Amino acid sequence: LSENVANPLINDAATQSEALVQRVYAFRDSPTPETLNAVRSQWVTTSLAWERTEVVALDADMTLLTQIDKWPS
């Protein structure tokens, strides 16, 4: 189960999180409507990737997931 389900989900969430970080840096370095939209789009993609990890979340992971799974105000 972990090899075929959990690991790919967690790896995708980590990959999407890193992509979000890169989009945020790009926006920081060049704050334009395009880079802002790239951050917004990647945030949605990252959030969905994290949501998919909930099917394999352990109790210890729930604190982290509840901190990550928040919509910005």
Side-chain angles (χ1 to χ4, degrees):
L1 181 64
S2 68
E3 184 78 23
N4 295 325
V5 177
N7 289 347
L9 291 173
I10 293 168
N11 288 338
D12 182 50
T15 298
Q16 297 306 327
S17 295
E18 182 57 36
L20 177 60
V21 169
Q22 295 307 312
R23 301 296 188 287
V24 169
Y25 288 157
F27 177 69
R28 178 198 63 192
D29 295 341
S30 177
T32 66
E34 291 79 16
T35 56
L36 177 59
N37 286 335
V39 170
R40 288 176 171 162
S41 176
Q42 186 60 45
W43 185 89
V44 170
T45 300
T46 302
S47 179
L48 293 173
W50 273 107
E51 283 182 15
R52 287 189 292 274
T53 67
E54 291 178 358
V55 299
V56 295
L58 303 174
D59 287 335
D61 297 330
M62 291 312 292
T63 300
L64 177 62
L65 288 173
T66 58
Q67 292 172 353
I68 292 171
D69 194 18
K70 294 193 182 293
W71 287 91
S73 18

